[in-house]
Amino acid sequence: VKKSRSLVRGMMAPSNISKRDHSIEKLQQNLTKIIATDFICWIPFLFICALHSFDVVDATFLYALSSIIILPVNSVINPIIYDDLISKRTIVFKKFMRQKWQ
């Protein structure tokens, strides 16, 4: 029981709370980046598709342009953002595993 109380106290220490808050804030920033890049790359394409569907514009040439330039940009940006998220988590996990097995 004493060990669990000290563990709980250690978890509630101000330094751990601020680290947790910083971690959550960083995760929110990265998710915002992912959503923003997806929005920026896909909304113009979807808008053009909608205009073409309602016969407002003839967007046949824009489909090729979008599929060759705009959408691949999203495919390049997302792994970079995800890699940043994953690599940091991997480092923390490796440190945890090393400490656990030593």
Side-chain angles (χ1 to χ4, degrees):
V1 175
K2 290 180 184 179
K3 190 174 186 178
S4 65
R5 285 183 187 164
S6 65
L7 186 64
V8 170
R9 284 187 197 133
M11 291 173 67
M12 299 304 286
S15 62
N16 288 343
I17 292 172
S18 65
K19 286 179 184 177
R20 182 172 177 246
D21 289 344
H22 178 71
S23 169
I24 291 171
E25 183 178 321
K26 189 69 174 168
L27 181 63
Q28 287 174 340
Q29 288 174 354
N30 285 336
L31 289 175
T32 302
K33 288 178 193 174
I34 292 168
I35 292 168
T37 56
D38 287 349
F39 184 80
I40 290 168
C41 290
W42 279 97
I43 288 299
F45 180 72
L46 295 174
F47 184 69
I48 290 168
C49 290
L51 290 178
H52 184 77
S53 295
F54 294 118
D55 292 327
V56 176
V57 293
D58 181 22
T60 331
F61 69 97
L62 291 174
Y63 288 132
L65 179 70
S66 295
S67 64
I68 293 172
I69 297 173
I70 297 172
L71 298 180
V73 168
N74 187 27
S75 298
V76 169
I77 292 173
N78 277 344
I80 294 169
I81 296 171
Y82 283 117
D83 183 51
D84 185 40
L85 277 170
I86 292 169
S87 64
K88 290 177 183 176
R89 303 297 185 261
T90 304
I91 292 169
V92 170
F93 179 73
K94 285 180 181 179
K95 285 181 183 178
F96 172 76
M97 292 306 287
R98 279 191 212 125
Q99 289 174 354
K100 185 173 178 133
W101 291 104
Q102 288 180 355

